[in-house]
Amino acid sequence: MLDKPDTPAEPLDDIHALFHGAPSTTEFKKLRKRIIRDTRQAINDFGMVERGAKWLVCLSGGKDSYTLLAALTELQWRGLLPVEILACNLDQGQPNFPATVLPEFLEKMGVPHRIEYQDTYSIVKDKVPAGRTYCALCSRLRRGNLYRIAREEGCSAVVLGHHRDDILETFFLNLFHGSRLSAMPPKLLNEEGDVFVYRPLAYISEADCERFARDMNYPIIPCDLCGSQDGLQRQNIKQMLDAWEQKSPGRRQKMFRALTNTNPSHLLDPSLFDFAGLIRDPVKLEQNPPDLLSDS
Protein backbone atom coordinates (compact mmCIF):
# COMPACT_ATOMS: atom_id res chain seq x y z
CA MET A 1 0.00 0.00 0.00
CA LEU A 2 1.13 3.54 -0.67
CA ASP A 3 0.97 5.10 2.75
CA LYS A 4 1.18 8.86 2.99
CA PRO A 5 4.25 9.82 5.03
CA ASP A 6 4.03 12.20 7.96
CA THR A 7 6.36 14.62 6.18
CA PRO A 8 6.40 14.78 2.35
CA ALA A 9 9.79 14.54 0.68
CA GLU A 10 9.30 18.03 -0.82
CA PRO A 11 7.10 21.01 0.05
CA LEU A 12 3.62 20.52 -1.38
CA ASP A 13 3.74 23.91 -3.13
CA ASP A 14 6.79 22.80 -5.13
CA ILE A 15 6.42 20.94 -8.43
CA HIS A 16 8.57 18.69 -10.54
CA ALA A 17 9.91 20.00 -13.84
CA LEU A 18 7.53 17.65 -15.68
CA PHE A 19 4.69 19.92 -14.56
CA HIS A 20 6.27 23.28 -15.35
CA GLY A 21 3.97 25.26 -17.58
CA ALA A 22 0.88 23.33 -16.55
CA PRO A 23 -2.40 25.15 -17.26
CA SER A 24 -3.85 26.89 -14.22
CA THR A 25 -7.45 26.17 -15.20
CA THR A 26 -9.78 24.40 -12.80
CA GLU A 27 -10.53 21.82 -15.49
CA PHE A 28 -6.87 20.85 -15.83
CA LYS A 29 -6.34 20.74 -12.07
CA LYS A 30 -9.27 18.31 -11.78
CA LEU A 31 -7.86 16.22 -14.62
CA ARG A 32 -4.40 16.06 -13.05
CA LYS A 33 -5.86 15.20 -9.64
CA ARG A 34 -8.01 12.43 -11.15
CA ILE A 35 -5.07 10.89 -13.00
CA ILE A 36 -2.83 10.93 -9.93
CA ARG A 37 -5.60 9.56 -7.69
CA ASP A 38 -6.59 6.73 -10.04
CA THR A 39 -2.96 5.79 -10.74
CA ARG A 40 -2.29 5.56 -7.01
CA GLN A 41 -5.47 3.51 -6.58
CA ALA A 42 -4.42 1.00 -9.23
CA ILE A 43 -0.95 0.67 -7.68
CA ASN A 44 -2.60 -0.09 -4.34
CA ASP A 45 -5.35 -2.37 -5.65
CA PHE A 46 -2.98 -4.62 -7.56
CA GLY A 47 -0.09 -4.65 -5.07
CA MET A 48 2.56 -3.19 -7.32
CA VAL A 49 4.88 -1.68 -4.72
CA GLU A 50 7.88 -3.42 -3.26
CA ARG A 51 9.47 -0.79 -1.05
CA GLY A 52 12.90 0.20 -2.30
CA ALA A 53 12.36 -1.39 -5.71
CA LYS A 54 13.49 0.08 -9.02
CA TRP A 55 11.08 0.44 -11.94
CA LEU A 56 11.91 0.61 -15.63
CA VAL A 57 9.25 3.07 -16.86
CA CYS A 58 8.88 2.71 -20.62
CA LEU A 59 8.59 5.93 -22.60
CA SER A 60 7.63 5.62 -26.27
CA GLY A 61 6.93 9.30 -26.82
CA GLY A 62 3.17 8.76 -27.08
CA LYS A 63 0.52 10.47 -24.96
CA ASP A 64 0.04 7.43 -22.72
CA SER A 65 3.67 6.98 -21.74
CA TYR A 66 4.09 10.71 -21.03
CA THR A 67 1.04 10.56 -18.76
CA LEU A 68 2.46 7.49 -17.04
CA LEU A 69 5.84 9.10 -16.40
CA ALA A 70 4.25 12.29 -15.10
CA ALA A 71 1.85 10.47 -12.76
CA LEU A 72 4.52 8.21 -11.28
CA THR A 73 6.96 11.10 -10.92
CA GLU A 74 4.30 13.14 -9.14
CA LEU A 75 3.66 10.31 -6.67
CA GLN A 76 7.38 9.78 -6.12
CA TRP A 77 7.99 13.54 -5.79
CA ARG A 78 5.44 13.76 -3.00
CA GLY A 79 6.86 10.75 -1.16
CA LEU A 80 3.90 8.52 -2.04
CA LEU A 81 5.73 6.04 -4.26
CA PRO A 82 8.77 4.54 -2.51
CA VAL A 83 10.52 3.22 -5.62
CA GLU A 84 13.33 4.39 -7.89
CA ILE A 85 12.25 5.37 -11.40
CA LEU A 86 14.37 4.87 -14.50
CA ALA A 87 12.74 6.08 -17.72
CA CYS A 88 13.64 4.04 -20.79
CA ASN A 89 13.09 4.60 -24.47
CA LEU A 90 13.71 1.74 -26.88
CA ASP A 91 14.54 3.23 -30.26
CA GLN A 92 13.46 0.44 -32.63
CA GLY A 93 15.02 1.89 -35.75
CA GLN A 94 11.88 3.20 -37.41
CA PRO A 95 12.62 5.51 -40.35
CA ASN A 96 12.40 9.21 -39.53
CA PHE A 97 12.19 8.53 -35.79
CA PRO A 98 13.28 11.79 -34.09
CA ALA A 99 16.02 10.23 -31.98
CA THR A 100 16.96 13.44 -30.14
CA VAL A 101 13.48 14.38 -28.86
CA LEU A 102 13.20 12.05 -25.87
CA PRO A 103 16.82 12.31 -24.64
CA GLU A 104 16.60 16.11 -24.72
CA PHE A 105 13.20 16.08 -23.01
CA LEU A 106 14.35 13.76 -20.23
CA GLU A 107 17.56 15.71 -19.70
CA LYS A 108 15.61 18.95 -19.46
CA MET A 109 13.16 17.41 -16.98
CA GLY A 110 15.92 15.92 -14.84
CA VAL A 111 14.53 12.39 -15.18
CA PRO A 112 17.04 9.49 -14.88
CA HIS A 113 16.86 7.58 -18.14
CA ARG A 114 18.38 5.12 -20.54
CA ILE A 115 18.06 5.28 -24.34
CA GLU A 116 18.52 1.92 -26.06
CA TYR A 117 18.86 1.41 -29.82
CA GLN A 118 17.79 -1.93 -31.29
CA ASP A 119 16.75 -2.20 -34.94
CA THR A 120 13.70 -4.40 -34.52
CA TYR A 121 11.97 -2.46 -37.32
CA SER A 122 14.00 -4.23 -40.00
CA ILE A 123 13.27 -7.62 -38.45
CA VAL A 124 9.53 -6.94 -38.37
CA LYS A 125 9.45 -5.67 -41.96
CA ASP A 126 11.41 -8.74 -43.09
CA LYS A 127 9.41 -11.37 -41.20
CA VAL A 128 5.83 -10.10 -41.53
CA PRO A 129 4.18 -10.73 -44.93
CA ALA A 130 2.82 -7.73 -46.82
CA GLY A 131 -0.66 -6.78 -45.68
CA ARG A 132 -0.35 -8.41 -42.26
CA THR A 133 -0.19 -6.41 -39.06
CA TYR A 134 3.15 -5.82 -37.37
CA CYS A 135 1.92 -5.42 -33.80
CA ALA A 136 2.39 -8.97 -32.46
CA LEU A 137 6.00 -9.45 -33.57
CA CYS A 138 6.94 -5.84 -32.84
CA SER A 139 5.55 -6.13 -29.31
CA ARG A 140 7.30 -9.45 -28.69
CA LEU A 141 10.69 -8.12 -29.77
CA ARG A 142 10.22 -4.94 -27.78
CA ARG A 143 9.21 -6.84 -24.65
CA GLY A 144 12.25 -9.12 -24.87
CA ASN A 145 14.58 -6.14 -25.05
CA LEU A 146 12.83 -4.40 -22.15
CA TYR A 147 13.20 -7.49 -19.94
CA ARG A 148 16.91 -7.57 -20.78
CA ILE A 149 17.34 -3.89 -19.98
CA ALA A 150 15.43 -4.30 -16.71
CA ARG A 151 17.80 -7.08 -15.64
CA GLU A 152 20.87 -5.05 -16.63
CA GLU A 153 19.62 -2.05 -14.62
CA GLY A 154 18.56 -4.05 -11.57
CA CYS A 155 14.87 -3.23 -12.07
CA SER A 156 12.20 -5.49 -10.60
CA ALA A 157 9.46 -4.32 -12.98
CA VAL A 158 8.83 -3.10 -16.49
CA VAL A 159 6.14 -0.41 -16.27
CA LEU A 160 3.94 0.22 -19.30
CA GLY A 161 1.49 2.96 -20.25
CA HIS A 162 -1.51 0.83 -21.21
CA HIS A 163 -4.74 2.46 -20.03
CA ARG A 164 -8.35 1.41 -19.45
CA ASP A 165 -9.29 1.55 -23.13
CA ASP A 166 -6.30 -0.59 -24.15
CA ILE A 167 -7.46 -3.22 -21.65
CA LEU A 168 -11.04 -3.15 -22.96
CA GLU A 169 -9.95 -3.32 -26.59
CA THR A 170 -7.72 -6.30 -25.83
CA PHE A 171 -10.63 -8.03 -24.10
CA PHE A 172 -12.83 -7.69 -27.19
CA LEU A 173 -10.00 -8.66 -29.54
CA ASN A 174 -9.55 -11.89 -27.57
CA LEU A 175 -13.32 -12.42 -27.42
CA PHE A 176 -13.97 -11.91 -31.13
CA HIS A 177 -10.76 -13.27 -32.63
CA GLY A 178 -9.20 -15.50 -29.96
CA SER A 179 -12.29 -17.23 -28.55
CA ARG A 180 -11.25 -16.54 -24.97
CA LEU A 181 -12.08 -14.20 -22.10
CA SER A 182 -8.77 -12.44 -21.50
CA ALA A 183 -7.45 -8.89 -21.27
CA MET A 184 -4.28 -7.07 -20.16
CA PRO A 185 -3.62 -7.73 -16.46
CA PRO A 186 -2.49 -4.69 -14.45
CA LYS A 187 0.17 -6.89 -12.84
CA LEU A 188 1.93 -9.77 -14.55
CA LEU A 189 4.99 -11.91 -13.86
CA ASN A 190 7.05 -12.77 -16.93
CA GLU A 191 7.59 -16.39 -17.98
CA GLU A 192 11.06 -16.46 -16.45
CA GLY A 193 9.59 -15.37 -13.13
CA ASP A 194 12.10 -12.58 -12.45
CA VAL A 195 10.47 -9.40 -13.78
CA PHE A 196 7.01 -7.94 -13.13
CA VAL A 197 5.00 -6.07 -15.75
CA TYR A 198 2.89 -3.25 -14.29
CA ARG A 199 0.16 -1.13 -15.87
CA PRO A 200 -0.55 1.67 -13.36
CA LEU A 201 -2.83 3.52 -15.81
CA ALA A 202 -5.35 0.66 -15.75
CA TYR A 203 -8.07 2.96 -14.37
CA ILE A 204 -7.28 5.93 -16.65
CA SER A 205 -9.22 6.59 -19.85
CA GLU A 206 -7.47 7.22 -23.15
CA ALA A 207 -9.32 10.54 -23.41
CA ASP A 208 -7.79 11.71 -20.12
CA CYS A 209 -4.29 10.72 -21.28
CA GLU A 210 -4.81 12.62 -24.53
CA ARG A 211 -6.09 15.76 -22.80
CA PHE A 212 -3.31 15.69 -20.23
CA ALA A 213 -0.45 15.26 -22.71
CA ARG A 214 -1.94 17.89 -25.02
CA ASP A 215 -2.44 20.43 -22.24
CA MET A 216 1.12 19.86 -21.02
CA ASN A 217 2.39 20.27 -24.60
CA TYR A 218 4.61 17.20 -24.37
CA PRO A 219 6.50 16.41 -27.63
CA ILE A 220 4.36 13.54 -28.99
CA ILE A 221 6.08 11.06 -31.32
CA PRO A 222 3.69 9.03 -33.52
CA CYS A 223 4.29 5.34 -34.25
CA ASP A 224 4.97 5.05 -37.99
CA LEU A 225 5.02 1.26 -37.98
CA CYS A 226 1.67 -0.13 -36.82
CA GLY A 227 0.17 3.36 -36.88
CA SER A 228 0.66 3.50 -40.64
CA GLN A 229 -1.41 0.39 -41.38
CA ASP A 230 -5.10 0.59 -42.23
CA GLY A 231 -7.79 -1.87 -41.19
CA LEU A 232 -6.23 -3.05 -37.95
CA GLN A 233 -8.66 -5.13 -35.89
CA ARG A 234 -7.89 -3.00 -32.84
CA GLN A 235 -9.05 0.07 -34.75
CA ASN A 236 -12.27 -1.72 -35.62
CA ILE A 237 -12.81 -2.52 -31.95
CA LYS A 238 -12.06 1.07 -30.99
CA GLN A 239 -14.63 2.34 -33.47
CA MET A 240 -17.20 -0.11 -32.11
CA LEU A 241 -16.58 1.05 -28.54
CA ASP A 242 -16.73 4.70 -29.63
CA ALA A 243 -20.14 4.08 -31.20
CA TRP A 244 -21.42 2.35 -28.05
CA GLU A 245 -20.10 5.16 -25.89
CA GLN A 246 -21.74 7.80 -28.06
CA LYS A 247 -25.08 5.99 -27.90
CA SER A 248 -24.83 5.16 -24.17
CA PRO A 249 -22.38 7.44 -22.33
CA GLY A 250 -20.54 5.58 -19.57
CA ARG A 251 -20.69 2.22 -21.38
CA ARG A 252 -16.90 1.85 -21.42
CA GLN A 253 -16.61 2.30 -17.66
CA LYS A 254 -19.42 -0.19 -17.00
CA MET A 255 -17.74 -2.79 -19.20
CA PHE A 256 -14.42 -2.17 -17.50
CA ARG A 257 -16.00 -2.60 -14.06
CA ALA A 258 -17.41 -5.93 -15.26
CA LEU A 259 -13.84 -7.15 -15.76
CA THR A 260 -13.27 -6.57 -12.03
CA ASN A 261 -16.48 -8.35 -11.03
CA THR A 262 -16.41 -11.85 -12.52
CA ASN A 263 -18.43 -14.87 -11.38
CA PRO A 264 -16.72 -18.12 -12.49
CA SER A 265 -19.70 -20.30 -11.52
CA HIS A 266 -21.81 -18.41 -14.07
CA LEU A 267 -19.36 -18.90 -16.93
CA LEU A 268 -18.55 -22.16 -18.75
CA ASP A 269 -14.91 -22.90 -17.91
CA PRO A 270 -14.49 -26.14 -15.86
CA SER A 271 -10.91 -25.13 -15.06
CA LEU A 272 -12.21 -22.11 -13.12
CA PHE A 273 -15.16 -23.76 -11.41
CA ASP A 274 -15.67 -27.41 -10.39
CA PHE A 275 -19.00 -28.05 -12.06
CA ALA A 276 -18.55 -31.84 -11.84
CA GLY A 277 -17.97 -31.61 -8.09
CA LEU A 278 -21.06 -29.49 -7.50
CA ILE A 279 -23.54 -31.61 -5.50
CA ARG A 280 -26.77 -31.00 -3.68
CA ASP A 281 -26.67 -30.52 0.09
CA PRO A 282 -27.82 -33.86 1.68
CA VAL A 283 -29.12 -32.07 4.77
CA LYS A 284 -31.25 -29.76 2.65
CA LEU A 285 -32.47 -32.75 0.64
CA GLU A 286 -33.54 -34.54 3.83
CA GLN A 287 -35.39 -31.46 5.05
CA ASN A 288 -36.98 -30.77 1.67
CA PRO A 289 -37.31 -34.02 -0.28
CA PRO A 290 -38.12 -33.54 -3.96
CA ASP A 291 -41.63 -34.26 -5.19
CA LEU A 292 -41.77 -37.59 -7.03
CA LEU A 293 -44.04 -38.08 -10.01
CA SER A 294 -46.45 -40.99 -9.54
CA ASP A 295 -48.21 -43.11 -12.15
CA SER A 296 -51.62 -42.55 -10.53
Side-chain angles (χ1 to χ4, degrees), residues 95-115:
N96 303 317
F97 181 80
T100 61
V101 169
L102 286 174
E104 291 176 357
F105 173 82
L106 293 168
E107 287 287 348
K108 180 180 178 181
M109 298 301 167
V111 175
H113 61 277
R114 170 171 170 174
I115 306 297

Side-chain angles (χ1 to χ4, degrees), residues 193-258:
D194 64 334
V195 178
F196 283 114
V197 176
Y198 295 152
R199 297 182 172 97
L201 299 186
Y203 293 158
I204 312 297
S205 71
E206 181 176 16
D208 277 356
C209 291
E210 186 169 5
R211 281 192 292 267
F212 180 83
R214 182 190 64 232
D215 288 350
M216 288 302 308
N217 199 30
Y218 291 143
I220 304 298
I221 301 173
C223 175
D224 292 326
L225 185 59
C226 58
S228 64
Q229 294 178 286
D230 296 326
L232 293 176
Q233 292 299 336
R234 184 173 290 273
Q235 291 302 317
N236 294 336
I237 296 294
K238 186 186 293 290
Q239 292 169 10
M240 179 192 74
L241 295 177
D242 285 343
W244 287 358
E245 185 72 22
Q246 185 175 9
K247 185 176 181 180
S248 302
R251 177 71 62 86
R252 270 191 170 95
Q253 184 60 18
K254 289 181 180 179
M255 291 187 292
F256 182 80
R257 288 182 63 184

Side-chain angles (χ1 to χ4, degrees), residues 4 11-12 14 16 18 21 36 38 43 66 89 112 125 134 162 178 213 230 239 242 249 252 254 258 266 295:
K4 187 173 181 179
L12 292 181
D14 207 350
H16 190 275
L18 275 166
I36 300 303
D38 289 349
I43 290 171
Y66 278 121
N89 172 249
K125 293 287 287 187
Y134 301 134
H162 295 128
D230 296 326
Q239 292 169 10
D242 285 343
R252 270 191 170 95
K254 289 181 180 179
H266 286 54
D295 294 330

Side-chain angles (χ1 to χ4, degrees), residues 44-72:
N44 279 336
D45 287 350
F46 300 104
M48 297 182 188
V49 169
E50 295 176 291
R51 189 170 293 274
K54 185 178 181 181
W55 287 4
L56 189 75
V57 178
C58 302
L59 187 67
S60 66
K63 63 184 185 305
D64 310 328
S65 62
Y66 278 121
T67 302
L68 172 70
L69 179 63
L72 296 180

Side-chain angles (χ1 to χ4, degrees), residues 92-95 119-134 137-138 141 224-226 228-229:
Q92 296 179 261
Q94 296 179 23
D119 185 9
T120 63
Y121 175 87
S122 298
I123 298 175
V124 171
K125 293 287 287 187
D126 180 63
K127 298 295 183 183
V128 178
R132 300 291 296 274
T133 59
Y134 301 134
L137 179 58
C138 179
L141 293 173
D224 292 326
L225 185 59
C226 58
S228 64
Q229 294 178 286

